[in-house]
Amino acid sequence: NAGVMQNPRHLVRRRGQEARLRCSPMKGHSHVYWYRQLPEEGLKFMVYLQKENIIDESGMPKERFSAEFPKEGPSILRIQQVVRGDSAAYFCASSTTTGVTDTQYFGPGTRLTVL
Amino acid sequence: GESVGLHLPTLSVQEGDNSIINCAYSNSASDYFIWYKQESGKGPQFIIDIRSNMDKRQGQRVTVLLNKTVKHLSLQIAATQPGDSAVYFCAEKFRAGGTSYGKLTFGQGTILTVHP
């Protein structure tokens, strides 16, 4: 049973370009979460999605960032016009449901470097 | 805003010793707590969890203690091994504004180094 998959693992972009990060949840999981981790810091929640719906985007920057989880295919975190401050590791997690004890399983992350 | 934090950023132990990693949380409404282990270049890996109606839970070589009076969480690792070397994060979950429990709030992390 494959775990959460993310690609690419490493992504280099120049300032002003777009970054697209992909996440395929574990089989049977319909809930996806995105987190950002700056160096030597904990993970910070960005957005929570179910299929075709954004449930909670309270951690998403208001501009340049967007996320989707279409009916078919992976979840996409999109960052437009990247800036150096966007350099971070972006982790995706998935779960079967969102009850209080439902475990979120994390992918290996995408490390974004903005030059 | 409310946050989860850690007392000690680094911890060095000898192989075979017991390790204790601490975490302070500030949200008294948190219902659920989780410890994750993160190795270099990898995503967080679930270790153990505990609900707020419990004060202790044991797993294989790990024990989590919850003290709601002082809002403190700890992870105990018995007979620590070099493979336990990693960053350990505590995380909490609470229902904000009547919404779902989707969001995890993470602490800063403690670096555990186990010397052979």
Side-chain angles (χ1 to χ4, degrees), chain A residues 66-113:
Chain A
S66 62
E68 63 177 7
F69 189 16
K71 187 176 181 180
E72 301 291 337
S75 175
I76 306 288
L77 179 67
R78 181 183 179 202
I79 311 172
Q80 296 178 289
Q81 300 175 337
V82 296
V83 300
R84 288 206 175 127
D86 296 332
S87 295
Y90 292 84
F91 291 96
C92 167
S94 72
S95 67
T96 52
T97 62
T98 53
V100 62
T101 59
D102 287 305
T103 302
Q104 292 183 21
Y105 295 92
F106 283 82
T110 294
R111 279 142 186 88
L112 173 65
T113 302

Side-chain angles (χ1 to χ4, degrees), chain A residues 9 33 35 37 100 102 104, chain B residues 32 36 38 41 93 102 104:
Chain A
R9 295 292 308 277
Y33 316 83
Y35 293 83
Q37 185 177 34
V100 62
D102 287 305
Q104 292 183 21
Chain B
Y32 179 56
Y36 283 93
Q38 186 177 26
K93 201 187 248 192
L104 283 174

Side-chain angles (χ1 to χ4, degrees), chain A residues 4-45:
Chain A
V4 178
M5 300 176 68
Q6 291 188 248
N7 68 82
R9 295 292 308 277
H10 300 274
L11 183 61
V12 179
R13 285 287 178 266
R14 296 191 179 279
R15 281 179 296 171
Q17 291 184 319
E18 179 179 286
R20 282 190 178 227
L21 288 62
R22 296 175 187 78
C23 169
S24 296
M26 287 179 68
K27 187 176 181 180
H29 288 195
S30 59
H31 301 258
V32 165
Y33 316 83
W34 286 94
Y35 293 83
R36 176 165 60 178
Q37 185 177 34
L38 297 173
E40 299 188 4
E41 291 190 8
L43 283 73
K44 296 289 196 294
F45 170 81

